[in-house]
Amino acid sequence: MKQKPMPAWPGLVRWALRRTAGALLVLLVVTVLVFAATEAAPGDAATARLGPQAPAGAVEALRAQLGLDRPAPLRYLDWLGHAVRGDFGASYANGRPVGELIADRFGNSLVLGLAALAVLVPLAVGLGLWAGLRAGRRGDRIVSGTALGLAAVPEFVTGALLMAVFAAGLGWLPAVSLLGAGQGPLDEPSVLVLPVLTLVSVCLAQNLRLVRAGVAEAARSPAVVAARLNGVPELRVAVRYVLPAGLGPAVPVLARSVAYLLGGALVAESLFGFPGLAALLVDATAGRDVPVVQAVALLGAAVAVAANLAGDVAVHLLEPVRGHTR
């Protein structure tokens, strides 16, 4: 079968621009939903700061000081206009710029997410390729069964088990991922191990199974059968024909995993006390620190939209290779 040509660059650029416009529209809708959700939550920052027993006059004065007495549509437009310029206002809790608070934690979450990705991608692709090329055999059943078992265990249970075995039982790793003043995760790499293993266990199963399914399908394609009959080495067949076609179905899910890992994994960070965006979001939510909640939620949405857009582009580029193996 003749190989399909790669998409022309002008067409690809137009397609990418349309997808980018759609992603920006989604992000705009997300801003409305985030703002509406914070508005719908009971109480407000003034009540949270002064307490439920505070005099009504004091609460109203603080609400006016914080601008909470203005109509919601005006506050949304004002917030959106500043957010577009990268200004998320000041924290209601301590008066610090929200951007500084996020910058203090985002680096930690980014290191954790990248470390988890560095483990997840080779495992998912490597094991999925290995199992898919052995579809139906014992090795495939072992890998697929293990992946299914990991998918069935909740994230907090996996984290608790890892903590019990490697921290409390063997004493090899710290049970909590606390950092000293001025320290980053790379200063104490051991604090990353248990959170990374927990995150990988959450994302590995689905990605591995999708790679395995795509590889198993591609391995039965006429192009792959013909390549093997023509004496093409098995390694070249796997890398040149099978793997690109097998990755297609897994790329969108892998993109969502990237968004999950880089956007701040709430359960894993909270379970191990990791000082990332998740801890900042939990504290801000408890204190009704609306600017911080809105900024963190919007950042997570932006990471998710960008990761999914990148996944769509990757699938679009892989499509000619997938078509060639059919």
Side-chain angles (χ1 to χ4, degrees):
M1 184 179 295
K2 187 177 180 180
Q3 184 172 1
K4 295 184 179 181
M6 292 294 287
W9 281 110
L12 178 61
V13 170
R14 287 194 297 270
W15 175 86
L17 289 175
R18 288 195 300 269
R19 295 295 299 172
T20 301
L24 292 175
L25 180 60
V26 169
L27 199 56
L28 179 62
V29 173
V30 168
T31 65
V32 176
L33 296 177
V34 167
F35 189 86
T38 54
E39 285 293 303
D44 58 22
T47 304
R49 183 182 298 185
L50 298 178
Q53 306 301 323
V59 174
E60 290 301 320
L62 184 55
R63 294 187 78 252
Q65 179 184 342
L66 298 175
L68 300 176
D69 57 341
R70 300 170 60 208
L74 292 180
R75 285 187 285 113
Y76 166 74
L77 292 175
D78 185 55
W79 170 70
L80 181 62
H82 284 84
V84 169
R85 299 192 296 270
D87 177 13
F88 295 100
S91 167
Y92 289 164
N94 53 35
R96 287 185 62 192
V98 174
E100 291 183 5
L101 295 174
I102 291 179
D104 289 345
R105 302 295 187 92
F106 182 68
N108 294 343
S109 289
L110 184 62
V111 170
L112 177 61
L114 290 176
L117 278 177
V119 177
L120 170 66
V121 173
L123 277 180
V125 174
L127 290 176
L129 177 63
W130 188 84
L133 292 174
R134 294 163 177 76
R137 302 180 192 174
R138 178 180 298 178
D140 173 39
R141 291 195 296 270
I142 293 174
V143 170
S144 299
T146 303
L148 184 62
L150 287 175
V153 181
E155 181 179 355
F156 71 91
V157 174
T158 301
L161 288 174
L162 290 172
M163 190 185 301
V165 173
F166 293 104
L170 299 175
W172 291 352
L173 297 166
V176 292
S177 301
L178 300 178
L179 297 172
Q183 281 190 322
L186 296 180
D187 296 321
E188 292 287 343
S190 60
V191 304
L192 291 170
V193 177
L194 293 183
V196 164
L197 292 178
T198 303
L199 292 174
V200 169
S201 72
V202 173
C203 302
L204 178 62
Q206 191 174 13
N207 285 285
L208 186 157
R209 287 166 63 85
L210 284 173
V211 173
R212 180 260 176 210
V215 166
E217 180 183 358
R220 297 190 298 267
S221 68
V224 171
V225 173
R228 285 172 171 159
L229 291 176
N230 287 328
V232 178
E234 186 65 25
L235 179 60
R236 185 179 177 188
V237 170
V239 175
R240 174 66 179 83
Y241 296 97
V242 176
L243 184 58
L247 284 179
V251 166
V253 176
L254 183 60
R256 289 195 289 273
S257 299
V258 171
Y260 169 73
L261 295 175
L262 298 185
L266 182 62
V267 174
E269 289 192 9
S270 300
L271 179 63
F272 294 100
F274 187 81
L277 286 177
L280 178 63
L281 180 61
V282 170
D283 293 341
T285 303
R288 292 289 294 144
D289 198 347
V290 173
V292 176
V293 173
Q294 291 172 337
V296 174
L298 186 57
L299 177 62
V303 171
V305 169
N308 280 282
L309 179 60
D312 289 343
V313 172
V315 170
H316 196 74
L317 293 174
L318 285 171
E319 186 59 33
V321 180
R322 294 180 63 202
H324 177 55
T325 60
R326 288 172 183 154

